[in-house]
Amino acid sequence: METATARTTTNDGAAIAINHKDMANAIRALAMDAVEKANSGHPGMPMGMADVATVLFSQFLKFDPQHPEWPDRDRFVLSAGHGSMLIYALLYLTGYPQMTIDEIQRFRQIDSKTPGHPEHGHTLGVETTTGPLGQGVGNAVGMALAERMLNARHGDALVDHYTYCIAGDGCLMEGISQEAISLAGHLKLSKLILLFDDNHISIDGSTDLTVSDDQVARFQASGWNATRIDGHDPEAIAKAIAAAKKSDRPSMIACRTTIGFGAPKKAGTASAHGSPLGKEEIAGAREQLGWKYPPFEVPLDILGAWRKVGARGQGAFADWTQRHGAAASRAEFDRTQKGELPEGFAAAINDIKNAFAKEAPKLATRQSSQRVIDGLNAVLPELIGGSADLTGSNLTKAKAANPVKPGDYSGGYIYYGVREHGMAAAMNGIALHGGFIPFGGTFLCFTDYARPSIRLSALMNQRVVYVMTHDSIGQGEDGPTHQPVEHLAALRAIPNMLVFRPCDSMETAECWALALSARNQPSILSLTRQAVPHLRADAAVANHCARGGYIIRPAEGERKATILATGSEVSIAVEAQALLAQEGIGAAVASLPCWELFDQQSEAYRNEVLGSGVRVAVEAMVSFGWERYLGPIGPKGGGFVGMTGFGASAPGPDVYKHFNITPAAVAEAVKARL
């Protein structure tokens, strides 16, 4: 390994001599000691990438540990999140106040700031939650795209930074990586630099067991600048990063490294990947690396050199603060960075609701959604839309929105292509970056293709809106491959996720308002392909959907039953109510557009909506989950009219009839239980 002195500068521009070898070895020592004490973790990647990380942080990365949420900081994404001790060591060494040596010693313990995989929002300095391989690559693409879009609106004075991502062999094997790098290459995201930990090792052993891709050629084919270097040569690393910063394309640097670098027996082997090295091996590594210090001890001179690296960004932060204070767009920049909705937001929603009340349109809720998007476009410029090649079906593009293009990032609409998973990961990155509220569309059935990223939206408390159309068997002719039946249940099972299924235009507007107001939660908007009748005549300022469920049609006379429904099936419930009324049976209809919000209401309110009599639910999905409102489903319990298997190919109304999801079937289910 090259041990030449790397150089950085202080705030006043004076040069500091830094012994690269000692600084990199500090990372290695902390990684192997923390994993050993926890008796759990992944020491190999931090030890292998310590040289790359040292050069990146000491010479290139723009950051200030005292201001970890500085909007114009460079973003550092550790996509290979299992190597979390790399970032924890860097946070400690560079002086992030929260990351103490005690936290390093509490690696992987309850309530520590050093969990097994990095968690955004839990540890300051961690830009995104990673661990599921490849997600960080997609997040980094979204962050780099957000930087360019924000720059187009506010200029270099406020927004001018890079996104760096460390990814491993596993990240690049995952399919999401191809979706992400293809999109980044197409959009020419030149301020994105991916550092590939090219160590040729996976859990099963050498990567030649499973992959023989030429990764450099692969990235080049996707429009990237890509090169290979020795990942243990600091001069080569610095030269490659400097060249990447001058590229007009995103850059990938394949850093040939040795996993577990320094371990005498386990370096370069799979045994260094995901388990402690062991006391004997660590002792050998200390000797081989020339690291003579006890566990968790970093000598003051080495720690001091690292702390100077951490202090290097203070001048850049101070300069930015001055530019920020003088910026004409400062107020708007600050508002969107804080995630605050504009003052005109509530009025815009009310205008949309009033228009719907006046017109009483019979529309597919995807069409109603488009009208909401159009109505919000002018008042909410940070709302960034997109679709996975289904713009004309999802209806996610505002009429006035211009597309984001390679080299022109001033638009507000992203054509993601057929990349559902990459789209969702990029939207997470956009949300994490700050300054925008991203939404994107596909068919509800294809949430399966995006689910890992959707789950991470919820885990990270990110306001990402998923516009999922063609949400039932009403999708029709495309048949069961495109007709979701279990998807709502699967999405409702994700903690911290709001799943909205509005029944008409009015509810669609209200659900959009709730999704955009939920600053710490992602939302699913489950929308119909087929037209549905307008059921809500009122345009009250109050948002009925905010309670998750409410009586949309009271019973005529004595209430003997309650029909529960969501989305397109609410109109079926209303027709069933009329059939029962003809026989003198009073039934109320409850619309439950958002179970998660309904479950937050008081027990008294929930009981009022659900009623004390017979309960029957209708939803063109499987029944899983409805037991919470119906009790045991069966002849002597709650009734459910819906799906028990997959759909069928035919016009939508015919499919409903085929599976007996009809007003008559709902009415019969009520009568059978009276």
Side-chain angles (χ1 to χ4, degrees):
M1 180 184 72
E2 170 62 56
T3 59
T5 300
R7 302 189 73 81
T8 185
T9 58
T10 60
N11 295 335
D12 60 7
I16 306 170
I18 299 175
N19 185 306
H20 170 90
K21 177 182 176 181
D22 286 342
M23 294 181 71
N25 284 343
I27 297 173
R28 294 185 174 105
L30 290 172
M32 62 186 182
D33 289 343
V35 171
E36 185 70 20
K37 182 174 182 180
N39 196 29
S40 169
H42 302 74
M45 192 282 272
M47 296 175 74
M49 285 296 280
D51 292 304
V52 173
T54 298
V55 171
L56 175 63
F57 272 67
S58 67
Q59 299 186 49
F60 295 98
L61 197 72
K62 181 175 68 173
F63 70 108
D64 182 355
Q66 304 307 314
H67 300 92
E69 296 181 352
W70 171 23
D72 200 35
R73 69 193 181 277
D74 286 345
R75 298 329 194 250
F76 173 65
V77 174
L78 186 66
S79 185
H82 56 273
S84 56
M85 268 310 305
L86 178 71
I87 193 169
Y88 300 150
L90 289 163
L91 295 177
Y92 165 66
L93 292 168
T94 56
Y96 281 75
Q98 188 188 64
M99 189 57 65
T100 64
I101 196 65
D102 290 339
E103 292 293 346
I104 297 291
Q105 294 189 59
R106 296 201 307 125
F107 180 54
R108 290 188 160 222
Q109 306 308 304
I110 285 290
D111 293 331
S112 75
K113 298 299 182 183
T114 49
H117 292 82
E119 296 179 23
H120 171 77
H122 181 76
T123 307
L124 283 176
V126 170
E127 300 286 2
T128 180
T129 298
T130 55
L133 293 177
Q135 288 291 333
V137 177
N139 297 162
V141 170
M143 292 176 186
L145 178 55
E147 188 275 341
R148 288 290 81 196
M149 292 190 295
L150 208 60
N151 173 272
R153 300 180 181 209
H154 298 283
D156 289 347
L158 289 183
V159 185
D160 184 16
H161 55 265
Y162 286 81
T163 300
Y164 297 92
C165 175
I166 287 182
D169 290 284
C171 293
L172 300 189
M173 290 185 207
E174 291 284 3
I176 187 175
S177 70
Q178 183 57 39
E179 295 184 24
I181 68 174
S182 176
L183 179 63
H186 169 71
L187 290 175
K188 299 187 184 301
L189 300 178
S190 60
K191 304 195 82 169
L192 172 62
I193 299 173
L194 186 145
L195 301 159
F196 168 35
D197 179 19
D198 184 18
N199 63 32
H200 293 197
I201 293 294
S202 64
I203 292 175
D204 281 348
S206 172
T207 54
D208 62 16
L209 290 170
T210 56
V211 64
S212 55
D213 302 5
D214 182 336
Q215 295 291 2
V216 168
R218 174 190 172 199
F219 274 77
Q220 289 172 341
S222 294
W224 288 55
N225 174 55
T227 187
R228 289 186 175 87
I229 63 167
D230 178 352
H232 298 301
D233 180 343
E235 292 184 359
I237 297 164
K239 183 178 179 180
I241 296 174
K245 292 185 70 171
K246 297 177 182 178
S247 175
D248 61 353
R249 295 175 289 165
S251 295
M252 185 275 265
I253 304 169
C255 307
R256 184 68 177 97
T257 60
T258 299
I259 192 170
F261 183 92
K265 297 178 181 178
K266 295 185 177 182
T269 70
S271 59
H273 171 80
S275 58
L277 295 178
K279 293 181 180 179
E280 181 180 342
E281 188 74 359
I282 288 176
R286 276 182 153 76
E287 182 176 352
Q288 186 161 309
L289 294 170
W291 188 263
K292 304 174 182 179
Y293 316 105
F296 301 106
E297 180 179 315
V298 180
L300 290 178
D301 58 339
I302 299 174
L303 183 60
W306 268 115
R307 293 295 161 88
K308 288 178 181 178
V309 168
R312 184 167 50 87
Q314 292 176 0
F317 175 77
D319 291 344
W320 180 86
T321 301
Q322 289 187 342
R323 297 194 302 271
H324 171 259
S329 62
R330 181 183 64 180
E332 181 70 358
F333 179 85
D334 289 349
R335 179 187 69 78
T336 57
Q337 285 293 315
K338 293 175 184 176
E340 297 173 349
L341 297 175
E343 291 184 4
F345 174 73
I349 290 292
N350 286 333
D351 287 346
I352 294 166
K353 289 175 64 177
N354 283 324
F356 283 148
K358 182 178 181 180
E359 299 171 26
K362 183 177 182 179
L363 295 172
T365 52
R366 61 176 177 146
Q367 294 174 300
S368 304
S369 172
Q370 184 178 41
R371 289 187 55 174
V372 175
I373 294 168
D374 281 333
L376 293 176
N377 187 64
V379 73
L380 203 62
E382 67 266 35
L383 192 59
I384 300 296
S387 170
D389 199 50
L390 289 168
T391 297
S393 295
N394 300 145
L395 303 179
T396 42
K397 185 179 181 297
K399 293 182 176 65
N402 294 316
V404 173
K405 299 177 181 179
D408 180 2
Y409 308 101
S410 60
Y413 191 80
I414 303 166
Y415 288 101
Y416 285 104
V418 188
R419 303 183 181 102
E420 295 91 349
H421 200 179
M423 173 181 73
M427 288 197 295
N428 281 341
I430 292 170
L432 287 161
H433 181 277
F436 297 107
I437 303 172
F439 71 93
T442 185
F443 291 169
L444 181 64
C445 200
F446 301 141
T447 53
D448 283 345
Y449 280 12
R451 185 178 175 87
S453 294
I454 293 174
R455 181 176 185 268
L456 284 169
S457 300
L459 182 59
M460 294 190 287
N461 303 307
Q462 293 304 300
R463 178 169 45 183
V464 178
V465 181
Y466 296 92
V467 180
M468 300 292 133
T469 69
H470 297 57
D471 76 339
S472 73
I473 59 172
Q475 197 272 355
E477 291 86 346
D478 281 343
T481 59
H482 286 55
Q483 293 170 1
V485 293
E486 78 278 22
H487 296 72
L488 281 182
L491 293 165
R492 287 165 176 160
I494 300 176
N496 197 43
M497 171 69 68
L498 295 174
V499 180
F500 295 102
R501 192 164 187 248
C503 73
D504 68 356
S505 297
M506 195 71 72
E507 280 197 357
T508 301
E510 291 185 348
C511 290
W512 255 111
L514 293 166
L516 294 172
S517 299
R519 294 175 60 172
N520 299 310
Q521 289 178 280
S523 298
I524 300 284
L525 289 172
S526 176
L527 306 173
T528 69
R529 176 198 185 194
Q530 73 274 25
V532 292
H534 190 77
L535 299 176
R536 283 265 304 280
D538 67 282
V541 173
N543 187 323
H544 294 313
C545 293
R547 303 188 80 170
Y550 63 100
I551 299 298
I552 193 169
R553 290 288 190 277
E556 294 183 16
E558 181 185 357
R559 180 180 177 182
K560 296 181 179 179
T562 303
I563 305 171
L564 313 172
T566 72
S568 47
E569 286 71 69
V570 176
S571 61
I572 292 177
V574 169
E575 292 183 49
Q577 178 193 44
L579 293 177
L580 291 168
Q582 292 174 7
E583 300 184 41
I585 300 171
V589 176
S591 176
L592 299 180
C594 183
W595 290 13
E596 296 77 20
L597 294 178
F598 185 64
D599 289 347
Q600 294 173 17
Q601 307 308 307
S602 69
E603 183 178 3
Y605 178 78
R606 284 183 279 120
N607 288 338
E608 177 187 344
V609 172
L610 297 173
S612 58
V614 168
R615 297 177 188 173
V616 171
V618 53
E619 189 173 60
M621 307 280 170
V622 295
S623 64
F624 191 84
W626 275 102
E627 296 86 355
R628 74 175 70 182
Y629 305 129
L630 300 175
I633 297 174
K636 296 183 179 180
F640 180 78
V641 177
M643 298 295 291
T644 57
F646 295 105
S649 175
D654 294 344
V655 179
Y656 272 89
K657 291 177 183 177
H658 176 75
F659 289 106
N660 202 28
I661 304 175
T662 63
V666 174
E668 287 301 317
V670 170
K671 290 190 290 182
R673 287 164 176 80
L674 287 174

